[in-house]
């Protein structure tokens, strides 16, 4: 084989531009070459035997650096190019520009309060001033928002905007450690404001008691340095990510489900966005949202704390972070891995020919399957009151509970047939097409999927959806049951 | 770290007057993206006589923080340079709104014996060039001092 050597590497190969070396594959030829030039071996290979990062092997115009080509037999006389990859980048930059850092001043009490940060070489006074100057939006004051808001406040983030439209309910207290029994029925943002005031009165906490929608998101996040996504549903995630791309704001993403959690950083300096990694949401209903599916108490604490840590690293400009990566943690078996997230050149938001240029014109409800499609026959629904009357006064109805077994064990609906969604098509003969059938899930969304699934499977009987699912049914009393559901 | 005996870096470098202007021009033209290119000259005397800008092949959106020279682009340039009688001395790139310290990525990709010049650009204005190099396979790079030849007044 003939090996052509880049001028940048030649001093390690006797200054020869071309060397004839016997060998039948790239691997064998490189081996023979570096046997002859031991200095060259040290330059090309790590001690582990892996090629160094900058070494690139080409045959003609084709890059053949990857391991899979190493032992492929080549025709005699193949010309191999040994070239360097010349690449680099700027050092990790802080999200907070120097002028804002300099404008932030620490008083005596702050020097005392943040002493443990100031002691760290990587944070110090400069880093703490950056933290103080930072303006961060936390979307969601629930499970993930609880640790994120409290740690960002404790660390001294100067301005924190918390956005949530929900009130605190009893079932929130299992994992949303920001709220207490005293906060029941209060807006989550009000409770967040109180907690932060108790941590540090100097923090400017902006509470927005609204639901993020396409027509308000830009005004909510514009002008902030960072958005931490602590929401629990796909619509909000796509909306936040898209708006972050369009406003040029990086995002720290977090999600939890049952025992597993994910953290990633999207849209940092034009890096990949949420859509690059997740081009489409899973079909509605197949994966229950966290609100429907549940998660073990400390899991949001773990994931949210990592989100807060990543946020602070971005603000200070230190360390290696999850830019273009997704950390996946399995808390049940204590395993974690980091997935690489690649920028999708065809991404509809951040790609070369992005089709989404404003969030207002994009139909998130439709994209996330939250809307009945036009070509489909509309699904008739019953309110909890209507269903209750129907059960009590007849005519008889068949009730089908499509929830998963663990969800049913929490709250049972009396007199139902239990068929999880995955088995519906197969078990459709268990239903009587002469009788009205009502489908029940936790929030009334998976039950719509159930009805559509059965329609596709050719079931012709009348089907109804329980609007709002079991959650909406909780306050209805059945007189003949004599008990709360 | 393994020191390589065939690899030596000059203690001092001299940059010809046109070299600095060429690097600054490339950096300003590329701003707010990073500029990159190659440095040509004569290794024995440690003089850099020419800076040639190359295309930054980093993907869309991240060229403000990264640069990448395509290996084949480089190889084609090398063949042309040889005919002109220059040595391949190393590379330059700009840092946009960031100081002239080496990033981990810069350091990990360094070829021993090559020189790496970095020009910081803040708000479109070029700062002071600094040059680094490595004589071993791993470990830290060292800074190499440079003397910039000023353009003779005409
Ligand atoms: Zn994208």
């Amino acid at each position: 084989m003939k090996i052509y050597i880049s001028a940048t590497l030649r001093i390690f190969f006797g200054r020869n531009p071309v060397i004839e070396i016997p060998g039948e594959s790239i691997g064998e030829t490189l081996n023979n070459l570096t046997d002859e030039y031991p200095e060259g071996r040290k330059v090309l290979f790590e001690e582990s035997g892996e090629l160094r990062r900058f070494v690139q092997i080409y045959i003609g115009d084709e890059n053949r650096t990857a391991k899979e080509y190493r032992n492929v037999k080549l025709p005699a006389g193949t010309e191999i190019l040994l070239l360097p990859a010349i690449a680099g980048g700027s050092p990790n930059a802080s999200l907070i520009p120097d002028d804002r850092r300099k404008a932030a001043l620490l008083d005596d009490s702050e020097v005392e309060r943040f002493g443990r940060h100031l002691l760290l070489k990587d944070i110090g006074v400069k880093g703490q001033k950056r933290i103080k100057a930072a303006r961060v939006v936390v979307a969601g004051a629930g499970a993930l928002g609880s640790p994120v808001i409290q740690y960002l406040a404790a660390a001294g983030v100067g301005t924190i905007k918390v956005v949530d439209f929900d009130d605190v309910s009893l079932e929130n207290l299992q994992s949303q450690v920001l709220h207490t029994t005293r906060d029941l029925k209060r807006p989550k943002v009000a409770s967040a404001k109180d907690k932060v005031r108790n941590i540090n009165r100097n923090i400017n906490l902006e509470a927005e008691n609204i639901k993020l929608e396409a027509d308000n998101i830009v005004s909510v996040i514009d002008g902030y340095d960072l958005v931490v996504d602590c929401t629990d549903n796909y619509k909000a995630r796509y909306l936040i990510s898209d708006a972050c791309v369009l406003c040029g704001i990086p995002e720290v993403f977090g999600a939890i489900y049952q025992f597993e959690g994910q953290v990633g950083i999207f849209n940092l300096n034009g890096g990949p966005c949420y859509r690059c990694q997740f081009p489409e949401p899973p079909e509605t209903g197949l994966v229950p949202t966290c609100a429907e599916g549940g998660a073990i108490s400390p899991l949001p604490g773990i994931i949210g704390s990592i989100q807060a840590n990543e946020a602070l690293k971005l603000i200070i400009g230190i360390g290696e972070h999850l830019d273009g990566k997704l950390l996946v943690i399995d808390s049940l078996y204590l395993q974690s891995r980091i997935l690489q997230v690649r920028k999708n050149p065809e991404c509809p938001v951040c790609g070369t020919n992005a089709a989404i240029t404003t969030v207002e014109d994009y139909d998130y409800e439709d994209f996330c399957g939250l809307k009945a499609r036009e070509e489909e026959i509309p699904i008739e629904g019953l309110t909890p009151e209507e269903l209750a009357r129907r059960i009590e006064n007849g005519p008889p109805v068949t009730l089908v509970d499509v929830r998963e077994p663990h969800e049913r064990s929490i709250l049972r609906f009396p007199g139902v047939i239990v068929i999880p969604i995955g088995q519906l098509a197969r078990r459709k003969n268990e239903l009587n097409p002469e009788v009205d059938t009502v489908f029940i899930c936790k929030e009334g969304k998976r039950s719509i999927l159930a009805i559509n699934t059965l329609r596709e499977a050719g079931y012709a009987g009348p089907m109804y959806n329980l609007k709002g699912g079991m959650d909406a049914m909780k306050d209805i009393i059945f007189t003949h049951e004599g008990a709360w559901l | 770290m393994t020191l390589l005996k065939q690899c030596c870096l000059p203690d001092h470098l001299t940059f010809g007057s046109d070299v600095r202007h060429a690097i600054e021009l490339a950096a300003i033209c590329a701003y707010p993206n990073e500029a990159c290119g190659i440095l040509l000259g004569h290794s024995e005397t440690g003089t850099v006589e020419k800076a040639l800008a190359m295309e930054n092949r980093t993907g869309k959106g991240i060229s403000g923080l990264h640069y990448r020279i395509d290996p084949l682009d480089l190889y084609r340039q090398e063949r042309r340079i040889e005919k002109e009688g220059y040595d391949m001395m190393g590379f330059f790139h700009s840092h946009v709104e960031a100081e002239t310290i080496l990033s981990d990525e810069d350091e990990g990709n360094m070829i021993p014996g090559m020189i790496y010049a970095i020009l910081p650009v803040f708000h479109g204005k070029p700062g002071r060039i600094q040059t680094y190099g490595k004589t071993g396979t791993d470990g830290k790079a060292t800074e190499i001092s440079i003397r910039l030849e000023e353009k003779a007044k005409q």
Side-chain angles (χ1 to χ4, degrees):
Chain A
M1 305 278 172
K2 261 187 182 168
I3 301 194
Y4 286 82
I5 297 167
S6 159
T8 55
L9 301 167
R10 255 173 234 166
I11 48 164
F12 308 108
F13 299 95
R15 296 188 186 272
N16 292 306
V18 193
I19 302 178
E20 281 261 14
I21 286 283
E24 297 207 313
S25 62
I26 292 172
E28 204 182 306
T29 313
L30 282 184
N31 242 326
N32 293 339
L33 174 74
T34 49
D35 278 349
E36 207 164 306
Y37 298 96
E39 284 267 276
R41 179 182 295 272
K42 290 181 205 159
V43 173
L44 299 190
F45 293 99
E46 312 257 3
E47 263 160 42
S48 63
E50 298 278 317
L51 274 181
R52 288 189 191 277
R53 263 206 280 176
F54 61 77
V55 181
Q56 299 287 308
I57 298 158
Y58 279 76
I59 294 178
D61 283 348
E62 304 295 327
N63 192 325
R64 290 287 178 266
T65 315
K67 254 197 175 146
E68 56 192 277
Y69 300 115
R70 212 61 58 75
N71 296 318
V72 176
K73 240 187 166 180
L74 298 170
T78 302
E79 298 184 339
I80 300 172
L81 304 181
L82 189 54
L83 306 176
I86 304 300
S90 298
N92 230 338
S94 160
L95 292 181
I96 312 301
D98 281 348
D99 50 341
R100 279 172 52 200
R101 191 240 314 154
K102 285 176 191 155
L105 301 172
L106 302 179
D107 63 25
D108 287 351
S109 86
E110 286 171 311
V111 169
E112 188 181 345
R113 178 189 279 266
F114 300 116
R116 298 288 149 130
H117 269 175
L118 304 182
L119 282 175
L120 290 174
K121 182 173 76 59
D122 284 329
I123 302 182
V125 174
K126 279 188 179 178
Q128 193 60 46
K129 285 183 171 183
R130 287 202 160 104
I131 298 173
K132 185 171 182 180
R135 296 162 54 77
V136 179
V137 178
V138 182
L144 291 171
S146 288
V148 170
I149 293 162
Q150 293 184 89
Y151 275 120
L152 292 184
V157 171
T159 303
I160 304 172
K161 179 188 268 189
V162 178
V163 192
D164 203 308
F165 67 98
D166 233 344
D167 293 344
V168 179
S169 69
L170 191 57
E171 65 173 11
N172 295 152
L173 302 188
Q174 177 242 161
S175 63
Q176 305 187 9
V177 295
L178 188 63
H179 316 296
T180 60
T181 26
R182 277 202 203 173
D183 302 310
L184 288 173
K185 297 201 171 134
R186 293 180 70 204
K188 286 185 180 176
V189 291
S191 163
K193 192 165 185 138
D194 290 350
K195 298 296 137 38
V196 168
R197 195 184 297 133
N198 282 335
I199 293 169
N200 182 350
R201 279 181 171 275
N202 293 329
I203 284 165
N204 174 24
L205 190 118
E206 302 169 350
E208 292 240 34
N209 191 10
I210 54 166
K211 186 169 184 176
L212 284 175
E213 295 289 356
D215 59 7
N216 62 25
I217 179 131
V218 171
S219 65
V220 167
I221 68 170
D222 202 23
Y224 289 76
D225 302 306
L226 180 68
V227 176
V228 186
D229 179 359
C230 299
T231 61
D232 64 354
N233 65 85
Y234 288 97
K235 182 187 155 188
R237 286 173 193 153
Y238 283 103
L239 188 62
I240 289 168
S241 172
D242 292 356
C244 281
V245 172
L246 297 170
C247 296
I249 303 170
E251 160 195 10
V252 180
F253 161 80
I256 48 168
Y257 177 59
Q258 296 185 349
F259 296 92
E260 202 178 276
Q262 301 178 339
V263 188
I265 295 174
F266 294 118
N267 192 42
L268 180 65
N269 299 311
C273 75
Y274 180 73
R275 262 182 211 269
C276 290
Q277 172 70 10
F278 304 105
E280 276 176 11
E283 205 173 327
T284 333
L286 283 189
V287 180
T289 64
C290 171
E292 285 186 281
I296 191 167
S297 277
L299 181 63
I302 298 168
I303 299 299
S305 299
I306 296 175
Q307 283 181 283
N309 203 51
E310 291 298 294
L312 289 171
K313 279 156 61 187
L314 287 174
I315 290 166
I316 306 162
I318 52 169
E320 252 194 53
H321 41 63
L322 290 167
D323 177 23
K325 294 175 201 144
L326 196 66
L327 169 68
V328 182
I329 294 178
D330 177 343
S331 73
L332 194 55
Y333 294 100
L334 291 171
Q335 287 183 330
S336 68
R337 58 191 192 281
I338 292 181
L339 310 175
Q340 295 296 322
V341 179
R342 300 204 185 289
K343 195 167 168 89
N344 171 12
E346 250 103 76
C347 176
V349 190
C350 75
T352 328
N353 297 307
I356 304 172
T357 50
T358 145
V359 286
E360 270 110 329
D361 299 336
Y362 189 81
D363 195 335
Y364 288 88
E365 297 272 327
D366 189 44
F367 178 66
C368 295
L370 301 176
K371 224 160 135 173
R373 296 190 189 278
E374 276 171 29
E375 66 269 25
E376 284 169 4
I377 315 154
I379 290 163
E380 284 187 66
L382 295 176
T383 62
E385 294 77 15
E386 285 166 346
L387 179 62
R389 271 200 301 279
R390 179 74 187 265
I391 291 171
E392 295 199 339
N393 308 329
V397 283
T398 310
L399 300 169
V400 179
D401 187 343
V402 299
R403 293 177 302 158
E404 301 298 316
H406 62 268
E407 299 179 86
R408 283 196 313 275
S409 59
I410 304 166
L411 197 60
R412 289 183 191 280
F413 199 108
V416 297
I417 304 177
V418 172
I419 313 180
I421 285 194
Q423 302 173 10
L424 268 173
R426 193 155 32 92
R427 293 174 57 185
K428 63 174 187 285
N429 295 340
E430 294 174 30
L431 305 176
N432 181 356
E434 307 293 313
V435 177
D436 287 353
T437 306
V438 182
F439 291 82
I440 296 162
C441 70
K442 185 168 189 290
E443 291 183 331
K445 288 176 193 155
R446 273 178 292 165
S447 44
I448 293 179
L449 181 78
I451 294 173
N452 285 329
T453 306
L454 275 172
R455 274 186 185 157
E456 263 169 46
Y459 180 79
M463 295 187 280
Y464 299 87
N465 176 43
L466 171 60
K467 286 183 189 168
M470 286 296 279
D471 283 355
M473 203 73 200
K474 277 178 203 166
D475 297 332
I476 303 286
I477 302 171
F478 286 89
T479 47
H480 69 280
E481 290 288 332
W484 289 83
L485 269 177
Chain B
M1 114 166 170
T2 321
L3 282 167
L4 298 158
K5 55 179 181 299
Q6 271 142 351
C7 164
C8 51
L9 283 168
D11 293 334
H12 301 284
L13 285 163
T14 308
F15 273 41
S17 61
D18 291 339
V19 173
R20 187 178 72 178
H21 294 291
I23 296 175
E24 287 178 355
L25 190 66
I28 293 164
C29 292
Y31 184 88
N33 297 322
E34 285 195 5
C36 56
I38 52 181
L39 300 172
L40 312 174
H42 296 285
S43 328
E44 321 87 73
T45 53
T47 43
V48 179
E49 283 162 31
K50 231 177 167 178
L52 268 182
M54 305 272 293
E55 191 182 338
N56 182 353
R57 297 284 197 131
T58 307
K60 183 205 172 200
I62 55 171
S63 47
L65 274 172
H66 298 273
Y67 77 98
R68 188 175 78 85
I69 298 177
D70 181 74
L72 288 176
D73 285 355
L74 175 67
Y75 190 61
R76 287 183 205 111
Q77 280 293 350
E78 284 182 8
R79 302 179 76 154
R80 194 176 316 158
I81 296 155
E82 273 157 33
K83 289 184 195 137
E84 293 176 22
Y86 289 114
D87 294 331
M88 182 70 203
M89 301 278 292
F91 304 91
F92 71 86
H93 71 279
S94 60
H95 276 177
V96 175
E97 318 296 354
E99 291 156 53
T100 345
I101 43 173
L102 289 171
S103 65
D104 293 345
E105 193 187 0
D106 286 339
E107 224 157 13
N109 279 316
M110 275 190 167
I111 305 167
M114 289 283 120
I115 56 169
Y116 290 81
I118 303 175
L119 174 71
V121 187
F122 289 98
H123 303 290
K125 281 210 171 116
R128 195 170 70 85
I129 297 175
Q130 268 174 282
T131 318
Y132 300 87
K134 254 188 194 177
T135 51
T137 48
D138 312 289
K140 291 271 166 202
T142 47
E143 195 183 332
I144 311 165
S145 66
I146 43 175
R147 191 173 68 82
L148 296 167
E149 276 182 359
E150 288 307 315
K151 207 167 196 157
K153 291 217 171 78
Q154 284 174 344

